[in-house]
Amino acid sequence: RWLNPHAPLQVTTALNLGTLDRHTAERVAGVPAGAVVKLKVGMAPVSEELERLRKLRRRLPAGVRFRLDANGAWERGQAERFLAGCAQLPVESLEEPLRQADVAALGALQATVPFPLAVDESLERLGERLWQFPPIRRLVIKPMVAGGPRAALELARRAGEAGMESLLTTVVEGAVGVWAVLHTAAALEGERPSPPHGLATSGWLARDLTTPPRLEGDSVALSERSGLLPAPPPGTFD
């Protein structure tokens, strides 16, 4: 509420299923209908990953969509083949498809698909041309990389002015960092609706510093009480 008095107390998040591999289907238990699931791609040949996505789709509830992140794995030809193979798949977006991202190549790829392409790590490399001639439809913002909550919100506003949507995601921080990103995401939601954010990373840690946000389906609730963190369970720090 300090960042935005109109911030809601619930934020929708994508569910993180990790790398798309032969074990991914074992991690889909509890995924609710209509959710967005995040998957890392670009680790195997294009044809193999497309087949894994087709099989995974049959294991998931109705309306589930794939948020894919290639982490700059592909040359342009590989990206084109992958995107062509996504035609009959429920893809919500594809992040960082190109190894050497540039405005012209990203724009050409975006023109071939109805869903957003997104950039994250390529933001600095693309420079001012990204804002002058936005080649893609989405910007992924990590507040801890952008310079903190207020810097992340300013970046999201700039993206909106350029015609791009934006969402916030963590960098696999501990609970304190995840709560900070959650509050920032709520502040952004109070300004404009956003795609589901990337907040479901606490489960990847073996131990944490304090209580992380708890997922209920595909959303996370904030508290009315003051402060960044919720009250810890009794005996947590005994």
Side-chain angles (χ1 to χ4, degrees):
R1 295 286 167 78
W2 175 71
L3 290 168
N4 183 349
H6 306 293
L9 290 175
Q10 189 160 325
V11 174
T12 304
T13 184
L15 305 180
N16 198 327
L17 296 185
T19 301
L20 177 66
D21 56 30
R22 54 195 174 90
H23 301 294
T24 304
E26 302 167 9
R27 302 192 290 269
V28 302
V31 172
V36 172
V37 294
K38 171 79 177 285
L39 290 158
K40 295 282 188 179
V41 294
M43 308 289 183
V46 166
S47 58
E48 186 176 326
E49 291 197 318
L50 288 169
E51 183 57 28
R52 285 176 180 172
L53 287 172
R54 295 184 192 105
K55 290 180 178 178
L56 186 61
R57 180 189 187 184
R58 295 194 286 270
R59 296 285 299 270
L60 289 166
V64 171
R65 294 174 294 156
F66 298 136
R67 175 176 294 172
L68 307 174
D69 184 358
N71 282 120
W74 298 318
E75 300 296 343
R76 182 166 171 177
Q78 293 172 295
E80 289 171 343
R81 291 197 299 277
F82 185 88
L83 289 171
C86 288
Q88 303 303 318
L89 290 169
V91 177
E92 185 260 358
S93 64
L94 173 63
E95 183 179 336
E96 293 290 351
L98 294 175
R99 187 168 295 138
Q100 295 294 328
D102 65 74
V103 168
L106 286 170
L109 291 177
Q110 179 66 87
T112 67
V113 290
F115 52 82
L117 299 185
V119 296
D120 175 1
E121 296 89 352
S122 295
L123 175 61
E124 185 174 349
R125 184 185 312 126
L126 293 171
E128 286 302 312
R129 292 201 68 200
L130 173 70
W131 307 106
Q132 296 167 1
F133 311 102
I136 41 84
R137 290 166 41 194
R138 179 178 294 179
L139 183 62
V140 176
I141 302 170
K142 295 183 172 78
M144 303 313 175
V145 175
R150 288 189 293 185
L153 290 175
E154 285 301 319
L155 193 55
R157 292 181 189 117
R158 189 177 183 191
E161 291 167 359
M164 292 180 285
E165 63 187 14
S166 56
L167 62 90
L168 304 185
T169 185
T170 65
V171 199
V172 198
E173 297 96 333
V176 177
V178 177
W179 277 108
V181 178
L182 172 59
H183 280 261
T184 311
L188 178 60
E189 291 288 341
E191 294 184 10
R192 62 177 66 84
S194 302
H197 298 276
L199 305 167
T201 55
S202 297
W204 295 97
L205 301 180
R207 297 177 59 208
D208 214 328
L209 301 172
T210 185
T211 307
R214 188 161 64 94
L215 273 171
E216 294 287 350
D218 61 349
S219 64
V220 185
L222 291 93
S223 171
E224 288 278 11
R225 71 186 290 274
S226 298
L228 180 66
L229 299 174
T236 300
F237 301 111
D238 288 354

